Amino acid sequence: MKPNRQEKEQSEYRLPTNVKPTHYDLTFKTDLKKATFEGVVIIAYGDSDSRSLASLEVKKDTSTITLNVSRLELTNATILSEEGEKPVAVVQTDEAQERVTYKLDEKLPSGSQTKLKIYFSGKLGGNMMGYLRGSWEYEGRTEYYALTQFQPTAARSAFPCWDEPLLKATFTITMISRADTVSLSNMPALSEQPILEGLDAETWKITKFDTTPPMSTYIVALANGPFKFLEKSVVMPLSRKTIPLRIYTSPAKVSQAEFVLGVTASVLPLYERILGVEYPLPKLDTVAGNIVDGAMENWGLIIGRSAAFLLDTDNADLLAKKRVASTQSHEIAHLWFGDITTMEWWNYLYLNEGMLTPPRIIDRFLVFTRNGALIRQRLPPPEGQTGVTSA
């Protein structure tokens, strides 16, 4: 009997279902000067309520584990159990499908407990996909920074993972970076401490971030560089929580972030009130750089091109202000449509984007004031009157 279309898609384009990740423990070391990064990911089966465990749920008896990898150098890999650590070997690498398969010495029974640890390294890219390095000129010197762009399937080029939107998991991220840089991720930093590493005695620091809610790999986000920021906070209408908002960019352009910061402060609480669903994260940052295309709705850390977010309010015309406000409004809407509620597979992307195009959510708002940005709900006009449909 020939396999049906769904079975064929599963075998050719989807990962095996013998294991399912529920938590990643990720550590990245970013070297902006050398344009490299390295790290370790731990994935295992454990108590889903314990954020200290990296979790991989064994759904079926298996002696192999297959996951996504692209453009990474993999070194040591081990299975951790009560008996200790045992090395595992790569038995198959499929560059076309961007997969790697590890062979286990002993079969893992369904429901068993184990941990898979993988060391990896890679180069910071410049092709607008993956973990990227850019630069700017400031006060006569060249400064480097790094940003991520993972949608749709580039998270696998930054760390080994189950890079499918349906396979949500929680993430605990640690970043090691040079002490004179800023490190950012989806969640707030819990701690940051200096460390001393290397024969040249350069100063580094380690930043540990809070654990995320369950989310898809494509909205995991990292940023590292000599950023400066503007900030303000908003009180959310449902939760009554105070959410800090920051816009990060180069020191030379940080003054141009005031307008988009105002948009963010207006839009975030408005979406919560209209949609009736609390914004679940404790902060929202936005980073503007020139090594990504457009903008990306990473949960808690929106990343986009400088032209999408920054403008000189004294010289920008109304069209430029509307463009920035529309872009940020769109990305913030994705924090609900796409981040909280996510498509099962990429052929359903129209559901993710379609909710945010006219005559859906975005079309319900007008973007425009003389002195800043205000997003207002567009209500139907009273009978006999004409509704205003443009700013």
Side-chain angles (χ1 to χ4, degrees), residues 86-132:
K86 296 181 180 180
V88 293
V90 173
V91 293
Q92 184 178 3
T93 300
D94 188 335
E95 293 185 2
Q97 294 291 340
E98 298 180 338
R99 299 178 186 174
V100 63
T101 299
Y102 288 96
K103 176 69 174 178
L104 312 179
D105 291 338
E106 300 177 0
K107 181 175 291 187
L108 296 175
S110 177
S112 62
Q113 295 188 11
T114 189
K115 294 182 180 181
L116 174 64
K117 179 192 292 186
I118 305 173
Y119 289 86
F120 58 89
S121 61
K123 296 181 178 180
L124 294 171
N127 63 350
M128 295 191 177
M129 294 293 291
Y131 197 12
L132 312 168

Side-chain angles (χ1 to χ4, degrees), residues 340-360:
I340 294 177
T341 303
T342 309
M343 66 232 155
E344 177 186 359
W345 189 244
W346 293 108
N347 56 340
Y348 297 115
L349 182 61
Y350 70 94
L351 294 174
N352 193 14
E353 297 293 338
M355 291 299 294
L356 307 182
T357 55
R360 304 291 183 176

Side-chain angles (χ1 to χ4, degrees), residues 156-218:
R156 65 191 67 177
S157 67
F159 62 98
C161 59
W162 280 254
D163 201 10
E164 298 184 1
L166 177 64
L167 301 179
K168 290 189 175 185
T170 55
F171 293 80
T172 299
I173 294 174
T174 299
M175 294 181 68
I176 300 172
S177 58
R178 297 183 185 274
D180 59 352
T181 63
V182 176
S183 291
L184 303 169
S185 189
N186 303 82
M187 297 294 285
L190 294 178
S191 65
E192 189 166 82
Q193 297 178 337
I195 57 176
L196 204 61
E197 184 173 298
L199 296 177
D200 51 359
E202 290 183 290
T203 302
W204 294 72
K205 65 180 178 181
I206 181 168
T207 308
K208 296 183 178 181
F209 297 92
D210 202 356
T211 301
T212 71
M215 65 183 194
S216 305
T217 50
Y218 77 90

Side-chain angles (χ1 to χ4, degrees), residues 270 322 325 329 361-369 373-379 388-391:
L270 186 59
K322 290 177 66 175
S329 299
I361 294 295
I362 289 299
D363 193 43
R364 298 180 63 195
F365 304 108
L366 295 174
V367 184
F368 156 58
T369 68
L374 174 66
I375 310 301
R376 300 192 305 238
Q377 184 179 9
R378 191 172 77 187
L379 301 174
V388 178
T389 58
S390 61

Side-chain angles (χ1 to χ4, degrees), residues 211-229:
T211 301
T212 71
M215 65 183 194
S216 305
T217 50
Y218 77 90
I219 57 173
V220 172
L222 306 170
N224 177 239
F227 304 116
K228 298 298 181 182
F229 65 87

